[in-house]
Amino acid sequence: MDSSRAETWETSLIETDEISAGDRYQLLTSLVVPRPIGWLSSFASDGSANLAPFSYFAALADTPMLVGASIGRRRGGPKDTLRNIRETKAFCVNVVTEGQLEAMNATAGDYPPEVDEFEVAGLPRARAARVFAPYVGNCPAVLECRLYREVELGPSNSLVIGEVVAVRIDPSLRRVPGSCHVATESLRPVGRLFSVHYSLLGPIKALARPRVG
Ligand SMILES: Cc1cc2nc3c(=O)[nH]c(=O)nc-3n(C[C@H](O)[C@H](O)[C@H](O)COP(=O)(O)O)c2cc1C
């Protein structure tokens, strides 16, 4: 990313209904940063496996434990991930870490449904314990999800909300003593910036909350 060549803005207020969908996408994905990447693995009803990254992705609630990914249309139809989740009502979220950044990227190609992205990226495929979905066998943290709800977001996206029914944690991940927090330094998560740019874990700053009353 060469920010030395950056231009200045012609206006300080951009009305979002006066710009193109592409411009809205570019503003949103460069301002809401860094975004976590949900690397979603699923089976089609015939058992063929699929894996693809989604950075319109967020943690939504803890009880029930919910995560959501917003999946865009491709050529007017659902992407393989969405079609699979509609068929099986299940998926896994593989947390993308520094060691798997290149493999994650390899799974983002516009492959036909019969292509198994685990094979494309040379990743081991394992079967989830609690839902009908595969997961990345060497991924240190995996959320096994059952479809909780699908919400249509306008003409171009569907939000799939998954209830996390099981969490897989590799023993290489450290736990903060006395809690269920996973030590971020041991996870080394990757964030998505815009386009082909990613952020890696930098210095971590701790800040106590203000005490009121
Ligand atoms: C880091 C990254 C994040 C992405 N985030 C999204 C996203 O949030 N929503 C989306 O529809 N596509 C997203 N994509 C594109 C999909 O991964 C891509 O369309 C993929 O081919 C979909 O695969 P599928 O057809 O197997 O579901 C992203 C791609 C990358 C590399």
Side-chain angles (χ1 to χ4, degrees):
M1 190 177 354
D2 183 3
S3 45
S4 64
R5 291 179 50 234
E7 298 169 3
T8 54
W9 299 95
E10 283 155 27
T11 172
S12 59
L13 184 71
I14 300 166
E15 303 274 359
T16 56
D17 57 357
E18 288 172 6
I19 59 176
S20 68
D23 288 349
R24 281 191 291 271
Y25 174 77
Q26 291 179 353
L27 277 172
L28 191 60
T29 57
S30 56
L31 286 172
V32 183
V33 283
R35 295 183 302 287
I37 303 170
W39 200 11
L40 266 55
S41 46
S42 57
F43 281 132
S45 49
D46 68 2
S48 56
N50 196 87
L51 179 63
F54 296 89
S55 64
Y56 277 163
F57 175 75
L60 301 176
D62 48 79
T63 310
M65 193 169 171
L66 301 177
V67 292
S70 166
I71 304 181
R73 312 249 183 288
R74 183 167 46 210
R75 294 181 283 277
K79 293 187 179 181
D80 300 340
T81 301
L82 179 59
R83 212 191 38 252
N84 288 356
I85 294 172
R86 283 174 175 165
E87 285 177 10
T88 64
K89 315 286 183 227
F91 60 95
C92 286
V93 177
N94 305 269
V95 175
V96 179
T97 58
E98 278 177 25
Q100 294 190 313
L101 180 53
E102 275 80 15
M104 175 283 293
N105 192 46
T107 66
D110 184 4
Y111 305 110
E114 63 276 12
V115 170
D116 178 342
E117 289 89 353
F118 286 87
E119 280 178 20
V120 170
L123 290 164
R125 197 177 82 200
R127 281 282 289 267
R130 292 287 314 280
V131 299
F132 180 63
Y135 69 90
V136 177
N138 56 4
C139 183
V142 178
L143 312 177
E144 297 192 5
C145 301
R146 154 187 329 133
L147 179 64
Y148 182 78
R149 205 159 290 167
E150 181 185 335
V151 181
E152 219 176 82
L153 304 178
S156 61
N157 281 71
S158 280
L159 174 67
V160 288
I161 301 176
E163 178 176 357
V164 182
V165 295
V167 178
R168 284 180 177 276
I169 297 280
D170 189 86
S172 66
L173 293 182
R174 283 180 292 114
R175 173 205 269 247
V176 176
S179 83
C180 267
H181 283 134
V182 174
T184 315
E185 297 89 337
S186 70
L187 183 66
R188 306 213 65 80
V190 168
R192 187 177 188 201
L193 307 174
F194 70 79
S195 184
V196 298
H197 306 293
Y198 298 91
S199 60
L200 307 180
L201 188 65
I204 296 176
K205 192 176 159 80
L207 209 53
R209 291 264 187 94
R211 279 174 180 266
V212 180

